[in-house]
Amino acid sequence: MGIESIRAFAATLLPCGSAVLGLLGSVPTAGAVAEEDRSFAVTEEREPCTDFHPLRNAYFGDIHSHTSFSQDASVKGTRNEPRDAYRFARGERIGIQPYDEQDVPWATVQLERPLDFAAVTDHAEMLGEVHTCLTPGLPGHDSWTCRMYRGWPTLAYFLMNARVSRANPIRFAFCGALGIYCLEAAQMPWMEIQRAAEAAYDRSAACRFTSFVGYEWTGSRSSNNLHRNVIFRNERTLDLPISFYEESRAEGLWEQLRAQCLDRGDGCEAIVIPHNSNLSSGLMFQAKDRLGQGYTAATAASRSRIERLVEIMQHKGDSECSLGVDSTDELCGFEKLSFGSLGGKYIPFMGDPTAPASFVRNALKIGIEQHAKVGANPFKLGIIAGTDSHVGTPGNVSEDRHVNHAGRGKPVLAKAPAGLQDLIEFNPGGLAGVWAEENARDALFAALQRREVFGTSGPRIPVRFFASWKPPGDACRSGTLVERGYAEGVPMGGDLPPRPPDATAPSFSVWAMRDPGSQRRPGTKLQRLQIVKGWVENGEAREVVHDVAGSSAGNAMVDVYTCEQYGDGFDDLCTVWTDPDFDPEQHAFYYVRVIENPSCRWSAHACNRLGVDCLDRRSANRELFGQCCTRDRPRDIQERAWSSPIWYQPAHGAP
Amino acid sequence: MNPLRKPAVHFVALGLVLYLAKAAVYPLESSLPAQTVIVIEAARVEELRRDWLARSGSLPSERGLEALVRSEVDDRLLIEEARRRGLHRSDPVVQRRLLQNMKFLGDAAGSSAATQLDEAHRLGMDRSDLVVRRRLVQLLQLEAYGRARVPEPSEAELETYLALHSDRFMQPARLRLHHVYFSRDGRGAAAEADARAALVRIVAKANVSGSADDEGDPFMFPRDMASRSERELAKTFGAEFAGEVFELPIGGWSGPVASAYGEHLVFVHSRSPAALPPLGVVRREVFESLLAERGKRALRETLRELRGDYTVRIEGRAAPDSSIQDGG
């Protein structure tokens, strides 16, 4: 008996039948948009969006944030729940800890500009587990639920599926009849997370906000961070998140996601996004699996099918590249941590902050190396950024209003009362940018999957990037760059098609505009556009960074005491560029980096507010003065955006 | 294949019997002895004070301290109730945490998981561990939310909720506009004068949207913006521009209007007013939002009931009942 027939059988037997049928065969709403204009499949019931644009809009969001449902947030006093995080993302004002009389929070926070989309990604480890069922000797192991779970996983699966109810009233009757399924304690947090996402998701044509259901798989190895976020396409998700306890290896996570979601046949889809490779001592992108096995074509392809993206920057630092770690690129010196693993923060010499495979740019090179070796690229990664907020404030990236991400932790404040709100090495984090036709789950998820996404260190910088064999000529001046980009080439995240015989080198077109800013603060002007190229030559990984537009010797600067900005910059930078060293026999990747003029780092804003004057030792207590006036941490930064790469691969295999 | 194959029917029926039998054989955990007195020790009150000092930089006011104590009482009530229901033994996350702690202590190696758990309980670890405590509070909170889902809201309730929260569900006013951009980067201070000159040429041709096709500079987003709300326009052009274009006359060229990037001539085709959508369109959002509100009420109700079930004693302070009101 196949799974389909079990479902059909159950549908007739149980009162939740129609709910299950609804789950399996949701009928997409036919919208005003013709099917052929859509680049994505519609898998859910909703109105089509009024802002539909076939050449795609830029949406900004944050798909990495935590709430009180994560134990590391909860024990630090975070009270905001997933619902509050989504309210915040939609632009509402919420409180953050600590709370005082009548539960009034110490501070309230609000986004100046709401996000377009967000996901709460609490650590799976407090969301409930099937652990009891699988560990003999524990109370509950021999319960009926567990016996069924072990003996009849398929049917148990169906029952759980029916139970994970979202706004479908009929299923409550089912819960009533066999209440255990709805009330079993371990299930409740995960259900609440899904309901919170539903409550925040605008299914009307206004499409103001898209929520995604997600969670974080908190895998690590001797304190080296291997954490990954799992993001689901629609309301069809897992019965329970697969946590580090069920699957301690990333390979196991992918396998189980395939078995329990992707191959389920009901439209469940998920992608996996690693983050903080900077804290992995090179383990995140090493060219072998946890058991020491090298990649094969099959395992490499299978990794890149499910790990489509990487989070390049967030609260705990930047992971793009590191000056001196297989790179001479000075702009890599941005939001770097001095430690290389989670434990390295507390224990000196633990973890290696200079391991090449800790950084995304190197991972992309290793991917090409692996392709040459085994015939497939395991690290074909699109790029986003996020916050990793632990107080339930996704997208709270403003430098001048930074209020820390892990709660006003006692240790920090014990050192510096009313001082800096966060460790000096941390930062407010970044955002994910997505090019999609409309602001709805299907459109955004399809963009995540095809990697037509970019990351920013906070500002909302829209950046376009296309590659084509046909020179687009004066596309910048004629304003046809986007139309021609799609019609004749591939956008960011894609592969150049095979080289036509009459073409010598591909043309790359890049267009970025500065963040228009908010009512309170205009966006910072752009300084320049860069194209970063990586390849492998004679067995050696190589890279080069080209300035392709704007000015590298700009006169722009910021006064770190007033945070006023001076000098020239650009609203809008556009160029068509050809690689002068293009070699048709060389497998390579190209991605864009957009660099803003200098602006104040969050710590400069905070130190100025606290009246710290680095020329006057008496202007602050010792700790605060030390934090504010250290030479190890610059007071100004150049915020930036990173596009996903475009890959070129020679027609006849690897070089 | 006939989906009503007998083994499966039997399976579910048998499962039901087993489940009911289990319920009969193992009586509900509520028969466990409950701790009916909750004591907040003077030392704990002092700890709350110091905690506040460390976090906020100043000592709490008298009223503030009362609120901190009240919040502590709430947590303790939920924890005791969770324990009364046996969740400190049955919840897998609690079990996992206790086993982790035991492993950390290192002297439980070799013994079975169940023995280690017993030992953890004997050591009082389930009462002292912060993660276990937060987990137990969370479980009871979520249980209250779950209870609030029954009975399911009626159509009338949903309609009322939508009407009461019209500001949240209101579909924004929208404009359909056509615009031409004059770049500040490219033209500098002349951008505005250039735009004015172009406006004269355009209107002289014909005051229709198409007559501006050969004017202005390239812009990354379309010249023709079909149906955009103020917020959507602000995302692309900046807040000032978005506010201003909603004041422009309909059916003709006007401007220049300044954006974050330069000057724009704008032709507004149409403007649709803000409107409250029918329930059908926003049903799921309304449904879940209403149940969330109910959940918060149910949690307050739970706490009120628990206060009746337990005697709360706060050492070194006046009886709390007068000061502990329902907040939240």
Side-chain angles (χ1 to χ4, degrees):
Chain A
M1 183 153 83
I3 187 165
E4 287 303 318
S5 56
I6 288 181
R7 284 190 187 138
F9 142 71
T12 55
L13 182 71
L14 293 167
C16 60
S18 58
V20 175
L21 287 182
L23 208 86
L24 295 173
S26 66
V27 184
T29 323
V33 179
E35 201 69 44
E36 61 270 20
D37 281 349
R38 283 208 205 98
S39 63
F40 56 92
V42 176
T43 67
E44 59 174 8
E45 250 178 281
R46 58 157 303 125
E47 292 202 318
C49 297
T50 42
D51 73 340
F52 184 95
H53 177 38
L55 296 177
R56 294 169 187 155
N57 300 308
Y59 296 107
F60 290 94
D62 182 8
I63 51 177
H64 189 179
S65 61
H66 297 266
T67 72
S68 64
F69 283 26
S70 292
Q71 69 178 46
D72 54 349
S74 177
V75 300
K76 283 174 187 142
T78 296
R79 283 199 206 173
N80 288 321
E81 296 179 3
R83 287 173 195 278
D84 304 306
Y86 284 125
R87 284 200 295 121
F88 178 80
R90 291 185 57 141
E92 286 184 45
R93 182 172 283 281
I94 65 166
I96 51 171
Q97 70 264 34
Y99 293 77
D100 73 355
E101 36 201 86
Q102 304 311 313
D103 283 346
V104 175
W106 165 257
T108 63
V109 285
Q110 184 176 28
L111 286 174
E112 290 179 274
R113 289 177 285 174
L115 297 180
D116 297 316
F117 62 93
V120 169
T121 49
D122 278 311
H123 296 290
E125 289 63 30
M126 213 162 103
L127 299 181
E129 307 160 31
V130 292
H131 153 76
T132 309
C133 292
L134 301 176
T135 311
L138 282 188
H141 173 74
D142 290 323
S143 72
W144 177 72
T145 339
C146 282
R147 259 179 258 159
M148 194 182 79
Y149 186 89
R150 289 192 301 268
W152 285 68
T154 316
L155 187 56
Y157 164 70
F158 145 70
L159 287 169
M160 288 188 182
N161 210 12
R163 187 197 52 239
V164 179
S165 133
R166 279 155 298 253
N168 197 324
I170 297 161
R171 263 181 258 153
F172 301 135
F174 173 70
C175 289
L178 290 172
I180 186 170
Y181 293 112
C182 294
L183 295 175
E184 196 185 333
Q187 314 279 338
M188 293 192 300
W190 182 230
M191 286 169 71
E192 174 62 15
I193 282 172
Q194 299 180 68
R195 288 171 181 152
E198 188 59 55
Y201 184 27
D202 183 358
R203 289 180 188 260
S204 78
C207 296
R208 271 161 298 193
F209 183 77
T210 299
S211 61
F212 285 102
V213 178
Y215 76 91
E216 178 168 346
W217 176 84
T218 318
S220 61
R221 194 167 144 199
S222 11
S223 131
N224 293 309
N225 172 86
L226 298 172
H227 298 186
R228 287 157 159 94
N229 285 328
V230 178
I231 303 290
F232 295 93
R233 177 178 189 131
N234 49 40
E235 79 268 29
R236 272 149 277 162
T237 70
L238 295 170
D239 316 328
L240 269 180
I242 300 153
S243 78
F244 178 58
Y245 297 134
E246 279 95 33
E247 287 298 338
S248 61
R249 297 177 306 125
E251 293 81 11
L253 171 69
W254 307 326
E255 244 164 65
Q256 283 305 311
L257 276 175
R258 257 178 237 120
Q260 295 180 37
C261 171
L262 308 186
D263 295 344
R264 209 163 81 186
D266 69 345
C268 183
E269 278 187 71
I271 55 168
V272 175
I273 308 170
H275 65 84
N276 283 113
S277 54
N278 59 337
L279 294 174
S280 76
S281 299
L283 292 185
M284 188 71 88
F285 300 117
Q286 62 176 349
K288 53 185 183 221
D289 70 13
R290 177 72 178 265
L291 303 173
Q293 300 277 329
Y295 278 100
T296 65
T299 56
S302 125
R303 174 168 182 161
S304 69
R305 255 198 310 278
I306 195 156
E307 289 207 355
R308 313 284 296 171
L309 307 173
V310 59
E311 188 178 289
I312 200 169
M313 183 266 190
Q314 55 123 285
H315 172 230
K316 289 193 283 294
D318 171 74
S319 301
E320 184 201 354
C321 51
S322 184
L323 183 59
V325 181
D326 288 0
S327 180
T328 53
D329 174 2
E330 299 226 336
L331 284 168
C332 291
F334 174 69
E335 298 298 358
K336 286 283 128 19
L337 296 186
S338 60
F339 40 93
S341 76
L342 295 166
K345 189 170 113 191
Y346 309 101
I347 305 161
F349 312 116
M350 192 168 180
D352 178 6
T354 61
S358 286
F359 297 96
V360 173
R361 191 186 290 173
N362 295 327
L364 295 169
K365 295 179 211 160
I366 299 169
I368 286 180
E369 267 168 4
Q370 286 298 303
H371 189 280
K373 268 192 198 133
V374 305
N377 181 348
F379 307 133
K380 207 160 175 185
L381 298 162
I383 292 170
I384 61 165
T387 63
D388 199 3
S389 161
H390 273 65
V391 292
T393 56
N396 198 21
V397 292
S398 119
E399 296 284 331
D400 66 334
R401 292 183 167 182
H402 178 46
V403 281
N404 113 8
H405 279 225
R408 283 170 168 266
K410 214 171 168 180
V412 183
L413 279 155
K415 270 195 237 155
L420 286 187
Q421 310 96 316
D422 208 343
L423 287 180
I424 189 90
E425 292 196 289
F426 293 158
N427 75 85
L431 294 178
V434 170
W435 289 107
E437 289 86 344
E438 60 180 21
N439 188 11
R441 283 179 181 170
D442 280 319
L444 295 178
F445 192 87
L448 296 177
Q449 270 190 324
R450 69 173 178 268
R451 299 181 284 249
E452 199 179 344
V453 295
F454 53 100
T456 88
S457 59
R460 302 190 187 186
I461 303 169
V463 53
R464 296 281 202 178
F465 183 37
F466 297 95
S468 156
W469 292 109
K470 215 168 149 183
D474 64 346
C476 284
R477 236 170 309 147
S478 65
T480 54
L481 184 142
V482 177
E483 287 88 335
R484 297 190 61 166
Y486 283 119
E488 297 165 6
V490 290
M492 59 177 72
D495 293 287
L496 265 163
R499 185 168 62 104
D502 58 332
T504 49
S507 297
F508 294 92
S509 27
V510 195
W511 195 354
M513 298 213 297
R514 79 172 160 93
D515 180 351
S518 66
Q519 204 124 35
R520 189 175 61 90
R521 289 178 73 81
T524 297
K525 297 244 182 197
L526 302 180
Q527 185 189 66
R528 56 181 142 159
L529 301 183
Q530 301 181 305
I531 289 184
V532 179
K533 176 190 180 186
W535 72 100
V536 177
E537 201 170 311
N538 305 323
E540 198 188 324
R542 304 279 301 274
E543 66 173 50
V544 61
V545 182
H546 293 276
D547 285 338
V548 298
S551 148
S552 55
N555 58 3
M557 56 161 284
V558 62
D559 177 337
V560 292
Y561 284 102
T562 62
C563 294
E564 243 174 279
Q565 293 167 300
Y566 301 96
D568 302 319
F570 301 88
D571 286 332
D572 187 324
L573 284 171
C574 183
T575 193
V576 174
W577 177 81
T578 311
D579 179 3
D581 306 311
F582 180 75
D583 176 350
E585 295 308 317
Q586 219 163 55
H587 193 167
F589 65 83
Y590 298 84
Y591 69 88
V592 171
R593 194 167 59 184
V594 186
I595 304 291
E596 274 190 357
N597 276 345
S599 53
C600 268
R601 190 174 189 262
W602 73 269
S603 47
H605 285 289
C607 293
N608 293 342
R609 265 198 308 274
L610 294 166
V612 183
D613 179 353
C614 290
L615 299 174
D616 178 8
R617 283 208 162 268
R618 285 162 307 174
S619 63
N621 67 44
R622 234 179 96 190
E623 285 83 358
L624 188 57
F625 189 87
Q627 283 181 316
C628 286
C629 305
T630 172
R631 281 169 200 280
D632 299 343
R633 194 53 50 176
R635 306 191 72 184
D636 59 342
I637 46 171
Q638 284 187 281
E639 303 247 40
R640 56 199 63 199
W642 306 263
S643 79
S644 288
I646 293 175
W647 286 266
Y648 166 73
Q649 199 186 312
H652 307 293
Chain B
M1 187 194 297
N2 180 2
L4 282 165
R5 277 179 56 156
K6 279 180 182 166
V9 178
H10 290 166
F11 179 82
V12 170
L14 192 65
L16 194 60
V17 169
L18 279 173
Y19 168 64
L20 295 173
K22 182 205 163 200
V25 173
Y26 303 98
L28 290 174
E29 310 268 16
S30 58
S31 59
L32 288 172
Q35 180 191 349
T36 52
V37 182
I38 288 177
V39 182
I40 311 284
E41 298 84 0
R44 178 63 187 146
V45 176
E46 188 50 30
E47 211 172 271
L48 290 172
R49 261 163 58 90
R50 291 185 172 280
D51 206 44
W52 181 262
L53 174 64
R55 285 160 185 251
S56 68
S58 65
L59 282 170
S61 66
E62 192 52 29
R63 253 189 86 208
L65 184 60
E66 224 137 70
L68 290 173
V69 170
R70 186 185 62 86
S71 175
E72 171 78 5
V73 169
D74 285 354
D75 279 1
R76 288 285 297 277
L77 286 168
L78 294 176
I79 289 168
E80 286 312 321
E81 181 60 13
R83 297 177 61 88
R84 198 181 62 80
R85 298 185 193 186
L87 292 170
H88 63 307
R89 290 191 179 273
S90 66
D91 180 64
V93 175
V94 171
Q95 290 173 356
R96 165 78 59 191
R97 176 70 181 185
L98 293 178
L99 288 175
Q100 260 177 353
N101 289 352
M102 292 307 287
K103 194 173 159 197
F104 186 73
L105 286 180
D107 52 22
S111 54
S112 76
T115 315
Q116 290 183 46
L117 278 182
D118 283 343
E119 181 64 10
H121 284 282
R122 205 182 56 75
L123 291 171
M125 208 179 262
D126 55 318
R127 283 192 184 278
S128 56
D129 185 87
L130 195 50
V131 169
V132 172
R133 291 166 67 95
R134 294 310 312 162
R135 172 68 180 176
L136 294 179
V137 168
Q138 183 198 36
L139 287 176
L140 271 250
Q141 285 174 341
L142 291 175
E143 199 261 348
Y145 297 173
R147 228 170 337 105
R149 301 182 75 82
V150 187
E152 98 200 28
S154 66
E155 280 303 287
E157 265 182 282
L158 294 173
E159 291 283 6
T160 309
Y161 187 90
L162 175 59
L164 278 175
H165 298 82
S166 55
D167 52 334
R168 179 178 159 196
F169 293 98
M170 189 68 78
Q171 308 264 330
R174 289 178 175 277
L175 284 189
R176 197 194 137 205
L177 61 81
H178 195 94
H179 75 105
V180 180
Y181 168 55
F182 297 84
S183 156
R184 203 181 296 127
D185 267 1
R187 299 170 190 259
E192 194 184 338
D194 288 358
R196 286 189 194 286
L199 180 64
V200 173
R201 286 195 296 276
I202 291 166
V203 176
K205 227 188 280 174
N207 203 355
V208 295
S209 65
S211 54
D213 285 354
D214 48 359
E215 299 284 356
D217 300 319
F219 193 68
M220 185 188 283
F221 296 97
R223 284 188 163 198
D224 211 357
M225 297 258 174
S227 198
R228 291 289 195 279
S229 68
E230 183 171 340
R231 208 187 104 190
E232 285 162 2
L233 289 170
K235 287 195 297 196
T236 308
F237 298 96
E240 216 174 306
F241 176 94
E244 252 177 74
V245 290
F246 269 82
E247 307 299 323
L248 296 179
I250 295 167
W253 280 100
S254 38
V257 180
S259 76
Y261 308 107
E263 302 289 333
H264 302 251
L265 299 178
V266 180
F267 188 104
V268 178
H269 289 277
S270 57
R271 185 166 52 212
S272 62
L276 194 61
L279 176 61
V281 168
V282 286
R283 177 182 300 274
R284 285 166 160 225
E285 216 181 323
V286 169
F287 185 90
E288 282 303 335
S289 305
L290 186 156
L291 286 177
E293 252 188 44
R294 268 201 205 168
K296 294 277 180 201
R297 276 204 304 275
L299 179 60
R300 286 201 294 274
E301 189 53 40
T302 300
L303 283 167
R304 193 175 308 137
E305 282 167 15
L306 289 177
R307 270 180 220 126
D309 295 348
Y310 291 84
T311 309
V312 179
R313 216 173 60 230
I314 296 163
E315 289 183 348
R317 293 182 67 80
D321 291 353
S322 54
S323 59
I324 296 175
Q325 300 296 325
D326 280 289

